[in-house]
Amino acid sequence: MRRGDRRPRHLEMGVLLLISEILSIGYDVIPPITLCTIIGQTLLYVEAFEVPWSKHDVCISAKKVWYDKNYKTLLLSTFEHADDMHLYYNMISFLLKGRTLEPLYGSANFALLLSILCLMTSSIYVSLGVLLSNVLNDSSLLYSCAIGFSGVIFALKIITTDNSSGSSVIMGIRVPTKYAAWAELIAIHILVPNASFLGHLAGIIAGVLYVKTPLKRIIDGVCTTITGIAALFYCLINYINRKVSFSAILEEESFLIHFLR
């Protein structure tokens, strides 16, 4: 999540890099919900279609939601981006996670999971802003405004790395993979000062709540009821440990962290 206003509609470097990455991977091998989410957010960023809001309108803050009852920002803020490189890094990171998780959940369940994580992350962000502003007596936390998909990406990172026994290198420091999201939270806060620390933290908390509490079974049950397709999350970790190597994902994400310096 970052702060920002809508930019002029043209193809900037980050958008061109993203298109190049998708073409090099092959759009036909990217799961449909993952691909549509990336395309949709890219088209929104370049203003390929008219929408009845601006980035400033949907930038989420604790004040807007808690006090002004502007609930639309809970969802719309997630899909806006501050600049082209913000879009690029988020979509590349999401692409890696989507290619892993969507086939495991099924596209319909994955779409619902994304929607739920969006609302969870935004709600936790608002709650943190209200709570910390009172505890720290700092009203600026109420007005801190953020946009972007990175909170949801942090939640997905928690899901993909939970119970992993491997390790990864973040800013030259080797950490257990299951704690990589926490290390990246600190790294991005240091390397990208205008990134939303609370937004990323909210995503991590949403992910932890999903994998470590009864919310997991409730959310999976809701997805299964709506889609009629079993959300086999209880098989996810075992399947990952047996069949899926996250070394490539971690290497690419470590590269992104390094490239931000």
Side-chain angles (χ1 to χ4, degrees):
M1 292 184 172
R2 293 190 193 175
R3 305 177 183 87
D5 297 315
R6 193 170 292 282
R7 302 285 296 270
R9 67 177 72 178
H10 59 276
L11 294 181
E12 299 165 292
M13 180 59 69
V15 177
L16 294 174
L17 287 172
L18 179 57
I19 293 173
S20 176
E21 282 288 335
I22 291 175
L23 291 177
S24 66
I25 292 171
Y27 67 87
D28 56 325
V29 301
I30 301 174
I33 296 302
T34 300
L35 181 61
C36 288
T37 301
I38 293 172
I39 291 175
Q41 292 189 49
T42 302
L43 291 177
L44 178 62
Y45 176 78
V46 301
E47 296 187 324
F49 48 84
E50 294 293 331
V51 291
W53 67 78
S54 68
K55 290 182 181 180
H56 177 73
D57 291 335
V58 299
C59 177
I60 190 171
S61 70
K63 180 183 181 299
K64 279 187 178 181
V65 177
W66 190 261
Y67 293 104
D68 299 340
K69 313 303 181 185
N70 189 351
Y71 299 120
K72 69 180 181 182
T73 62
L74 287 170
L75 187 61
L76 296 180
S77 62
T78 307
F79 303 112
E80 290 281 3
H81 287 85
D83 55 55
D84 59 314
M85 297 312 293
H86 185 207
L87 174 74
Y88 171 71
Y89 290 127
N90 275 358
M91 293 301 96
I92 290 299
S93 184
F94 173 65
L95 173 61
L96 296 168
K97 296 169 182 62
R99 289 183 68 190
T100 298
L101 292 177
E102 186 173 339
L104 294 175
Y105 280 85
S107 294
N109 287 327
F110 186 65
L112 282 173
L113 178 63
L114 283 181
S115 300
I116 292 169
L117 289 176
C118 285
L119 292 174
M120 282 181 63
T121 299
S122 294
S123 299
I124 292 170
Y125 174 78
V126 170
S127 301
L128 287 173
V130 173
L131 176 63
L132 292 177
S133 68
N134 288 316
V135 172
L136 302 177
N137 195 26
D138 183 359
S139 62
S140 67
L141 294 171
L142 290 175
Y143 295 88
S144 180
C145 210
I147 55 176
F149 205 62
S150 49
V152 178
I153 293 170
F154 268 93
L156 294 175
K157 173 99 177 177
I158 292 293
I159 295 172
T160 58
T161 58
D162 183 54
N163 282 356
S164 173
S165 58
S167 63
S168 57
V169 178
I170 307 295
M171 293 185 66
I173 301 174
R174 184 168 295 278
V175 297
T177 297
K178 61 182 178 181
Y179 300 126
W182 296 96
E184 289 179 11
L185 172 70
I186 303 301
I188 291 175
H189 182 64
I190 294 171
L191 299 174
V192 190
N194 65 328
S196 174
F197 180 84
L198 285 186
H200 296 164
L201 177 60
I204 290 177
I205 293 174
V208 170
L209 288 174
Y210 177 70
V211 300
K212 296 296 186 183
T213 73
L215 271 178
K216 173 180 64 178
R217 293 187 180 277
I218 295 172
I219 292 173
D220 287 354
V222 168
C223 291
T224 298
T225 299
I226 293 174
T227 65
I229 303 170
L232 299 177
F233 177 79
Y234 60 88
C235 293
L236 178 59
I237 297 302
N238 288 335
Y239 182 91
I240 287 173
N241 286 338
R242 291 198 314 267
K243 301 292 185 181
V244 180
S245 170
F246 284 98
S247 59
I249 293 179
L250 296 172
E251 286 174 6
E252 291 197 42
E253 291 192 344
S254 296
F255 166 75
L256 292 179
I257 293 292
H258 174 77
F259 191 73
L260 286 169
R261 283 187 252 184

